[in-house]
Amino acid sequence: MNNHGKFDRRQFAKYLTHGFIAGALSRTLVDSSLFAATGKTKLLICTSPNGHFSSEATQAAFKGVIDAQKDQNYSLYLTGLRNSCYSGDWHGAESGLFGFRDGKGSAPSFFSAFSNLDKTYLTIDGSRYPRDSAGGEVTNYSKVKDLLEGKFSQAGTGTNSNPSGQAGSNSNNIIDPLFSDVKKVKSLLGAGEGNLFEDYVDSLQELRNKMVSSDYSESEAAEPVSADQCGQLSTLSDAADKTNQHSLLLDAAHQLLACNLTDVVVVSYLNSESEPEHQSIHGAGSNDGGMLFKSYTDATQKRIGEVINKMSTAPGGLLEQGAVVYISGGSGHLINGSFNNGHPDGNIPCAVFGRLNGQLTTRGVLDSTGQDQRNLWRSLVDKISGNTADLSKIGGQGILPLKGI
Amino acid sequence: MNTANFIYRFCLFGAVNVLAGCFMTPLEPVHHSKIEKENLNAETTFGDDVTQEDPLVVTTENKMEEMKNSPEKNNQTFSLIKEKALEGGDSCDNGENESSMRILTKNEYLETIKVVFKLSDSLVQIERLLPPGSTEQGYNFLRDFNIMSTEKLEAFLKAGQFVSEKVVGENLISLDCGLSSEDCFRQWLVANLPVIWREAVSSADINDELEIFKSFGSDSEALKSMVHRFLMSPKFLYRSGLFISGSETLSNWEIVTFLSDSLWQGILNDELIKTANQIEALRKDQILALVESMLKSPDLLKGLDTLAKGWMDLKSKGESLTFPDTISESYSSDTFNQMISYFLFDRIEEGQDSLAGLLDSKELWLPSELAGLYKVSKSAEEKSSIDNSFERFEFSDERRGLLSQPGFLISASGLEHTNIPLRGKNILKNFMCHDLETPEDIVDVVSKVKFDHNKPVSTALNQITLNGTCESCHKLINGTGSVFEGLSPLGFPRALDDHGKNVISDIAVELPGGRDFQSGSVSDFTHELISDPSTGVCLTVKVFRMFNGRMEKEKDACRISGIYKKASDQNGVSLKKLIVELILSRSGHIK
């Protein structure tokens, strides 16, 4: 595949089946510099609540739906991994799970380190998980309809203006006058008040750097990821119940990545207090040995496994180019043969599927005892950036990569 | 009983670092451009205490530490405020006025778009593009928890692009007014730039903008870029209150904007615009007159909606609640939260907005269909809401005021069961500003505890929690929460609790500070709450947060206590007076 080939609308259009979507999405592809280069990382992160029954049960759930050959070549199951946000329990710790913090509280998600990767957040009752680079809330979509109308709708006048291009090109640069505005406001502030809106200044500077350096060209856009079937996003119809909707959002995530409409997708399924799943641990779990909880977790993992199974292993396919990370903030409940209906620590379910452009080569089961999810995030960031990323601004300094991958 | 160590800090907002570096296309080295930042540093004046070791590291760890939102910290600050509030005399030094800035809310963004560009039909689409606010302490705009990020700024960039394209595409600004395009644009700027940027705009400023417009080509593409640029400026994206050197008060635009944002969720009308544009600085009597008229407007309901959510921690609980089959309509928790806004509006309108008027009032607002279920009777003076969706009713003698409002009880309950500790904790936190740490392992503890289902819920709870390490918190929350056991998860009266036992009506209550009493009804409890000085001071703190857009600090103790005193009379603190005094304080017009 030509990573810097010219954009061909006819080629793209054949992947789409709905005229409105074609209009909106093709304009997105043309306009956004984010898709200027193919060969970028593709990352899908999937969550489930409250941990898992056991590592063996989790592996069995995935292996039950992923082709044996695919599983052998692309799957890595981590055991013994901790959740660094655990503090007596994992409730309320969702907003730090993807970050580098120790203990509960919000933290920038590790993928916020990559400001030029486009991110999309899909959720069923799990919007606490992903955070922006300041640790703030982000927009999550729980319906495909809202995703298409919100993220991809550019129902303006049909002009081909591109904010990135505006800032990056020599004409109509709207960003530079903003720095003058900053100077004017700062000149009005008193001693000691100069940092009142430094967050704006920093964000503006980063935005400008990003736009100036981006590989934007009006005639260039990424082609869909080859071999992964693209073009079905508009056919997806939102479901009424949460399990079917979860499957739908996973399919939507696959389409978003396969069609190169985004680079990072988070699909967060429920949170640690969603019912009746939560009570299946503390309530039913004290009587049924955790079987009801296991049935919920098995089903969730299988749905994730099904979408992984759809991903292509051909050169340039998603499992070659990218990775799927599955994780939960809760731990394994089966301890010494008994189901713990509280909040045990250690051994959160975690698996990575895919080769990440050849950067991930470890397969099978990896004992990660003594490490936590932050080590995994560090590894992923290093592999994506070629070990050049500076994570100090999002709290990642001093975190070592995960041993063994 | 699990006797695990309960030392645990529940930081709702931990150490967060703003990303100031630049992460380029993957697999390329990281570059940092310092040119703009160094230029800014060279040309502007900073205080001596602003470090400039690393121009790109702006949000320091110390600042992040300041932003922590721990119950213990909040309680300490409140104790100081209460101490000063209850001191006699006016010896407290208010200190210097402090400039402030916060990111505007979605509502405030959209209201400006509506009034300047008349884009009412596109608001839903624009709203989708805007970044969400982070909600803490019930408000989604507090400066402490809402920090600009690249992602947020990029969302604003996209929203601004959408608006600018719409404006030009639909010819909402005419460059064909019979003059040159530049002169046409000048006219538009004079009328509209102050409204967008909420500041007086001088001729020099207009000329500067025209120069940019000319450099962009003075055509429709240039116009689009200018609109986009205006909507990306910090002058638009931040609501500011700047005490410029030499000035003791905020500017007219800042005062009007602050009133519009706080009281009307950003609605701006011609009268407010005219007031903001007047040359002379607004006098105190003018501000008071303006506030008076704004408090009478139905648009105040929007501001009261914000206040209620922040004051009482009201929640949205999904699309519709489950009522008995006799109820034909669907009602959501948001609808019940609206009813509280109507209650507050009605209290202010009728001059019954003292603490007693709010906490001991027999009035509530309901759709008439629910009157039978909630066992309320028609109000002696019948009244309907402006949109006729609610009517005014009266409680029976046993329950009164805000704490009996269904919306508050729904927010502090499960969907199918009440929650005594949650109700108790919410009342203590929201009405007495006494926050309790959530113990480590709380769910684990609860899951292992054997509740005696043969006893009333409150008795069973007391049995388990009023001993050992649990007692220090539960002695306060159990009684407080148990007072409301006669009200279901949806807030209507019931005789049996969730264990199917008769609700206990005579409850031993202990409030923070060692005050204890027997409460025979919700009314008994609210009377005690009204007479506790913490309640009025706590309301002052809650309203301070809303009007100042930030959490209170220890250095605010004097100012807040002064506001409390000025807003109080023999009937205690009055909500309307609190609002007025806060506005005067915020704008710099302090006695």
Side-chain angles (χ1 to χ4, degrees), chain B residues 456 495-497 500-504:
Chain B
L496 301 178
D497 67 15
K501 303 298 175 193
N502 288 328
V503 169
I504 297 176

Side-chain angles (χ1 to χ4, degrees), chain B residues 256-271:
Chain B
V256 165
T257 298
F258 156 59
L259 291 178
S260 151
D261 290 343
S262 306
L263 299 178
W264 288 357
Q265 276 187 7
I267 292 173
L268 203 60
N269 60 21
D270 290 340
E271 187 201 349

Side-chain angles (χ1 to χ4, degrees), chain A residues 48-297:
Chain A
S48 69
N50 293 313
H52 57 170
F53 186 77
S54 68
S55 296
E56 290 72 24
T58 291
Q59 289 164 37
F62 281 110
K63 288 174 188 289
V65 292
I66 298 176
D67 292 342
Q69 195 66 42
K70 200 175 264 187
D71 182 64
Q72 185 180 333
N73 291 339
Y74 292 93
S75 303
L76 173 65
Y77 300 98
L78 303 180
T79 62
L81 201 67
R82 278 195 73 240
N83 175 3
S84 69
C85 303
Y86 178 96
S87 190
D89 58 43
W90 49 74
H91 293 295
E94 288 91 341
S95 57
L97 183 66
F98 293 157
F100 290 101
R101 68 169 298 112
D102 188 6
K104 293 186 184 181
S106 302
S109 297
F110 74 92
F111 42 80
S112 70
F114 299 103
S115 60
N116 66 329
L117 290 183
D118 187 75
K119 296 115 184 157
T120 307
Y121 307 111
L122 307 177
T123 186
I124 296 168
D125 203 22
S127 58
R128 303 175 193 176
Y129 286 94
R131 311 297 278 198
D132 69 15
S133 55
E137 294 184 24
V138 295
T139 300
N140 284 261
Y141 298 99
S142 57
K143 295 189 193 311
V144 173
K145 177 175 171 297
D146 292 339
L147 166 72
L148 294 175
E149 289 176 7
K151 187 177 170 89
F152 295 108
S153 171
Q154 294 283 329
T157 58
T159 58
N160 231 5
S161 63
N162 165 41
S164 305
Q166 280 183 328
S169 65
N170 287 329
S171 64
N172 294 9
N173 180 348
I174 68 163
I175 299 293
D176 284 347
L178 301 178
F179 285 99
S180 301
D181 291 347
V182 167
K183 286 181 196 174
K184 282 185 187 172
V185 176
K186 275 179 173 280
S187 68
L188 300 174
L189 296 172
E193 293 179 334
N195 60 346
L196 263 182
F197 64 119
E198 288 303 307
D199 51 338
Y200 173 86
V201 175
D202 280 335
S203 301
L204 184 67
Q205 185 160 321
E206 179 160 340
L207 192 62
R208 190 185 187 284
N209 291 342
K210 176 179 165 184
M211 290 173 176
V212 166
S213 67
S214 67
D215 191 20
Y216 173 72
S217 162
E218 195 162 324
S219 62
E220 256 187 71
E223 292 174 6
V225 175
S226 73
D228 274 90
Q229 215 175 9
C230 168
Q232 293 160 15
L233 189 60
S234 58
T235 67
L236 299 174
S237 188
D238 291 300
D241 65 289
K242 59 188 175 187
T243 54
N244 284 329
Q245 185 64 4
H246 184 222
S247 289
L248 194 87
L249 292 183
L250 288 166
D251 281 337
H254 182 202
Q255 287 296 298
L256 288 168
L257 294 169
C259 297
N260 226 341
L261 297 172
T262 197
D263 302 304
V264 179
V265 183
V266 174
V267 180
S268 48
Y269 181 64
L270 306 183
N271 62 68
S272 60
E273 284 147 14
S274 299
E275 298 292 358
E277 290 78 6
H278 174 227
Q279 272 309 306
S280 72
I281 302 169
H282 303 309
S286 54
N287 298 317
D288 70 356
M291 289 299 107
L292 181 60
F293 169 68
K294 182 177 183 295
S295 72
Y296 287 138
T297 310

Side-chain angles (χ1 to χ4, degrees), chain A residues 27 34 40-41 86-89 91-92 101 104-108 112-119 131-139 141 146 149-150 153-159 161-164 166 172-179 181-189 191-211 213 278 282 340-343 383-386 388-395 397, chain B residues 8 10-30 32-34 36-37 39-40 43-47 49-50 54-59 61 63 97-101 103 125 128-135 143 146-154 157-158 161-162 165-166 168-170 197 205 208-209 212 215-216 221-222 224-225 228-229 232-235 237-238 242-245 440-444 447-448:
Chain A
R27 198 163 155 274
L34 294 170
K40 267 191 189 173
T41 299
Y86 178 96
S87 190
D89 58 43
H91 293 295
R101 68 169 298 112
K104 293 186 184 181
S106 302
S112 70
F114 299 103
S115 60
N116 66 329
L117 290 183
D118 187 75
K119 296 115 184 157
R131 311 297 278 198
D132 69 15
S133 55
E137 294 184 24
V138 295
T139 300
Y141 298 99
D146 292 339
E149 289 176 7
S153 171
Q154 294 283 329
T157 58
T159 58
S161 63
N162 165 41
S164 305
Q166 280 183 328
N172 294 9
N173 180 348
I174 68 163
I175 299 293
D176 284 347
L178 301 178
F179 285 99
D181 291 347
V182 167
K183 286 181 196 174
K184 282 185 187 172
V185 176
K186 275 179 173 280
S187 68
L188 300 174
L189 296 172
E193 293 179 334
N195 60 346
L196 263 182
F197 64 119
E198 288 303 307
D199 51 338
Y200 173 86
V201 175
D202 280 335
S203 301
L204 184 67
Q205 185 160 321
E206 179 160 340
L207 192 62
R208 190 185 187 284
N209 291 342
K210 176 179 165 184
M211 290 173 176
S213 67
H278 174 227
H282 303 309
N340 182 316
N341 70 337
H343 300 85
K383 289 177 188 311
I384 292 169
S385 70
T388 58
D390 175 8
L391 296 180
S392 57
K393 302 301 182 292
I394 58 170
Q397 72 280 13
Chain B
Y8 170 65
F10 197 90
C11 277
L12 298 179
F13 187 87
V16 173
N17 289 300
V18 174
L19 181 65
C22 175
F23 297 96
M24 312 297 278
T25 305
L27 306 181
E28 288 183 11
V30 175
H32 294 280
S33 170
K34 298 186 181 181
E36 291 86 5
K37 191 65 190 221
N39 283 344
L40 283 170
E43 294 181 30
T44 57
T45 304
F46 293 93
D49 56 339
V50 174
D54 181 354
L56 290 180
V57 180
V58 181
T59 308
E61 286 187 6
K63 188 170 180 181
N97 286 319
E98 193 175 277
S99 294
S100 64
M101 296 182 84
I103 300 170
Q125 291 163 293
R128 281 199 186 113
L129 296 171
L130 295 172
S134 294
T135 301
R143 185 68 178 112
N146 282 277
I147 299 173
M148 188 64 80
S149 63
T150 317
E151 293 93 332
K152 280 193 176 58
L153 203 56
E154 202 157 9
L157 190 73
K158 287 179 185 167
Q161 181 193 10
F162 180 90
E165 288 183 354
K166 271 279 186 184
V168 169
E170 295 179 16
W197 282 356
D205 293 330
D208 286 345
E209 297 306 321
I212 300 172
S215 75
F216 285 172
E221 281 302 304
K224 199 190 308 173
S225 298
H228 198 182
R229 168 256 179 300
M232 282 296 291
S233 174
K235 300 184 187 190
L237 294 180
Y238 284 77
L242 304 181
F243 288 95
I244 297 165
S245 180
E440 180 177 307
D441 246 3
I442 180 64
V443 181
D444 200 17
S447 69
K448 291 184 170 131

